[in-house]
């Protein structure tokens, strides 16, 4: 198997599965229970929180475990709108956010909010100036992702955070850092966002766990889930202890030699971009700075056919988010590319384990697809 879809999800290292297994079978207490099995778990959850918070460079007391990145995005957006309900009903975001943000914004539109979706250029870039220009006196929230999940573009969060108070000091800033965490510099202190969403399964952890950082400008954050008051009263629901243990272990493993891992991934991305560009009709779509995502297009060959063909050869890439029922995704559509190029976009995404041999195999399969299949677009 050649797995080139690490932006979709990541393989779980053995040590992560082992950490989870121990919790599932031996340390299965409920952290809210008042006997040692529960109290020990409570202490463990606090340690795991420290580990994840350390990687995000934030105070552990400001980090709340969630069930996924999607939950973090929904929670942040709704909590920001709640705090700023008297500031106004305007949201600034981008046209290329993950659906977890865009669908939540659509839902708010139904409640009377106005949403400005800033468009990228043809390479997927968005400037801080574009975002700040869209901010108004009634802007409750700016939500801009750190790294785009389909293109790999890195967005200028720190610059947006620095400029935002000058445009509107009340506006809160959220970043969906699901694809940025442990891939690009992602320090809560340096980013300056009020909310930061991260997710476990993009960094070698299990699916079904994430975390939301909530900064000091957020007063009495409104919970998304009402209930038993876990997570300091802000995120009810019995803590998913095995998931959290796996997330923390994955973070610990990723951070070990992280600089080297990221350098290797960036080198693989560079190698792939050069190697694949030699295939006729193939172009690199974005020049994103994230080391793990490369968007390419085999112009004229529908992306879902490429994905299916490669899948039969045991090579896994994504039309992914990049193609919904034969139509280009909202991200590809926002780039306003020629139809043949847009229809052929696929995403390759890399992990620390990806090798040049993986890229070679993918390049041969793509070349064969180009040479043996008729273009249809
Ligand atoms: N945000 C981005 C940028 C993502 O790439 C993803 C997952 O693909 C999510 C949010 C959702 O995360 P989760 O799968 O943990 O809900």
């Amino acid at each position: 198997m050649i797995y080139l879809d690490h932006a979709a999800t990541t393989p779980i290292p053995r040590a992560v599965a082992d950490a989870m297994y121990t919790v599932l079978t031996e340390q299965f207490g409920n952290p809210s229970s008042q006997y040692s099995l529960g109290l020990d778990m409570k202490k463990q959850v606090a340690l795991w929180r420290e580990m994840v918070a350390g990687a995000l460079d934030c105070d552990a007391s400001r980090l709340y475990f969630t069930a996924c990145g999607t939950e973090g995005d929904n929670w942040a957006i709704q909590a920001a709108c709640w705090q700023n309900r008297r500031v106004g009903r305007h949201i600034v975001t981008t046209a290329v956010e993950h659906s977890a943000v865009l669908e939540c914004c659509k839902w708010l539109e139904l409640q009377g909010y106005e949403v400005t979706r800033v468009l990228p250029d043809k390479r997927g870039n968005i400037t801080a100036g574009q975002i700040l220009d869209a901010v108004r006196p009634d802007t409750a929230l700016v939500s801009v992702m750190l790294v785009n999940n389909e293109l790999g573009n890195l967005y200028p969060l720190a610059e947006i955070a620095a400029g935002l108070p000058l445009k509107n000091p009340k506006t809160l800033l959220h970043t969906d850092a699901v694809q940025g965490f442990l891939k690009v510099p992602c320090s809560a202190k340096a980013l300056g966002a009020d909310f930061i969403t991260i997710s476990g399964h993009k960094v070698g952890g299990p699916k079904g766990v994430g975390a939301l950082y909530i900064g000091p400008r957020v007063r009495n954050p409104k919970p998304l889930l009402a209930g038993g008051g876990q997570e300091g009263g802000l995120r009810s629901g019995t803590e998913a202890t095995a998931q959290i243990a796996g997330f923390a272990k994955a973070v610990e493993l990723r951070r070990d030699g992280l600089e080297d891992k990221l350098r290797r991934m960036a080198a693989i991305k560079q190698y792939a971009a050069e190697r694949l560009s030699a295939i006729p009709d193939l172009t690199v779509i974005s020049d994103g700075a994230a080391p793990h995502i490369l968007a390419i297009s085999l112009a004229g060959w529908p992306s879902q056919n490429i994905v299916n063909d490669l899948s039969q050869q045991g090579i896994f890439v994504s039309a992914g988010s990049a193609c919904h029922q034969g139509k280009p995704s909202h991200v590809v559509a926002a780039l306003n590319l020629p139809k043949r190029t847009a229809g052929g976009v696929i995403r390759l995404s890399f992990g620390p384990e990806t090798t040049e041999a993986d890229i070679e195999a993918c390049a041969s399969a793509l070349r064969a697809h180009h040479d043996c299949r008729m273009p249809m677009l």
Side-chain angles (χ1 to χ4, degrees):
M1 172 172 81
I2 294 174
Y3 186 70
L4 298 174
D5 203 14
H6 290 253
T9 197
T10 50
I12 293 194
R14 181 76 207 203
V16 170
D18 286 347
M20 294 177 70
Y21 185 76
T22 306
V23 174
L24 287 167
T25 53
E26 293 167 30
Q27 304 172 333
F28 55 85
N30 183 329
S32 298
S33 296
Q34 295 305 308
Y35 41 79
S36 63
L37 194 64
L39 296 170
D40 289 349
M41 243 319 99
K42 192 170 175 180
K43 282 192 205 138
Q44 278 296 336
V45 171
L47 286 177
W48 295 326
R49 194 186 313 280
E50 294 275 354
M51 287 164 76
V52 179
L56 194 58
D57 190 24
C58 71
D59 198 301
S61 66
R62 300 210 158 271
L63 194 75
Y64 302 89
F65 287 117
T66 60
C68 51
T70 300
E71 181 187 332
D73 285 345
N74 276 264
W75 184 12
I77 292 168
Q78 292 181 49
C81 288
W82 175 256
Q83 170 161 320
N84 277 344
R85 61 197 178 283
R86 282 188 255 286
V87 172
R89 298 186 141 232
H90 177 237
I91 298 171
V92 176
T93 186
T94 79
V96 294
E97 296 297 308
H98 190 270
S99 322
V101 167
L102 289 180
E103 291 300 315
C104 186
C105 287
K106 259 194 219 163
W107 179 81
L108 284 162
E109 272 179 324
L110 297 176
Q111 319 296 312
Y113 277 78
E114 194 189 331
V115 179
T116 301
R117 298 170 181 83
V118 174
L119 284 167
D121 67 14
K122 282 203 180 322
R123 304 287 278 173
N125 294 311
I126 293 174
T127 63
Q130 281 178 279
I131 300 293
L132 295 170
D133 282 350
V135 175
R136 315 188 308 212
D138 63 340
T139 304
L141 166 72
V142 169
S143 179
V144 175
M145 67 202 323
L146 184 56
V147 167
N148 185 274
N149 51 305
E150 295 189 32
L151 305 170
N153 291 66
L154 174 65
Y155 295 131
L157 255 296
E159 215 183 313
I160 295 169
L164 195 54
L166 307 174
K167 287 296 302 249
N168 186 339
K170 292 236 159 78
T171 304
L172 290 167
L173 177 63
H174 165 240
T175 186
D176 173 340
V178 167
Q179 295 289 350
F181 181 55
L182 297 177
K183 309 281 171 44
V184 298
C186 185
S187 144
K189 290 189 187 114
L191 288 180
D194 298 297
F195 299 91
I196 303 174
T197 304
I198 58 175
S199 175
H201 72 109
K202 310 292 186 181
V203 294
K207 295 158 192 63
V209 65
L212 181 67
Y213 161 83
I214 304 186
R217 295 203 318 144
V218 186
R219 303 179 307 274
N220 302 321
K222 186 168 163 45
L224 198 58
L225 301 178
Q230 289 86 349
E231 295 289 287
L234 292 188
R235 201 286 183 176
S236 290
T238 302
E239 295 85 345
T241 47
Q243 250 69 7
I244 294 169
F247 188 8
K249 189 71 193 174
V251 165
E252 181 191 290
L253 293 177
R254 269 293 157 114
R255 287 188 82 189
D256 185 23
L258 182 62
E259 292 303 316
D260 268 357
K261 286 175 184 153
L262 294 179
R263 248 195 306 276
R264 258 200 331 268
M265 281 151 76
I268 284 286
K269 174 170 165 168
Q270 176 75 24
Y271 181 78
E274 283 165 17
R275 182 71 185 76
L276 298 174
S277 296
I279 297 171
D281 297 307
L282 195 147
T283 47
V284 170
I285 294 302
S286 82
D287 46 11
H292 65 305
I293 298 177
L294 179 67
I296 59 173
S297 168
L298 195 57
W301 281 261
S303 52
Q304 193 54 52
N305 293 356
I306 301 172
V307 171
N308 295 345
D309 185 14
L310 267 58
S311 160
Q312 281 169 12
Q313 302 168 57
I315 302 171
F316 301 115
V317 300
S318 178
S321 290
C323 183
H324 299 291
Q325 288 145 12
K327 278 201 263 153
S329 74
H330 64 277
V331 176
V332 174
L335 300 181
N336 204 12
L337 299 168
K339 193 165 169 246
R340 280 165 53 84
T341 308
V345 173
I346 64 171
R347 175 187 70 186
L348 309 182
S349 51
F350 317 114
E353 316 81 4
T354 310
T355 62
E356 287 186 1
D358 296 336
I359 304 301
E360 283 304 322
C362 179
S364 303
L366 281 169
R367 176 76 210 219
H369 188 89
H370 173 274
D371 291 352
C372 304
R373 304 288 172 102
M374 291 296 284
M376 286 166 63
L377 292 167

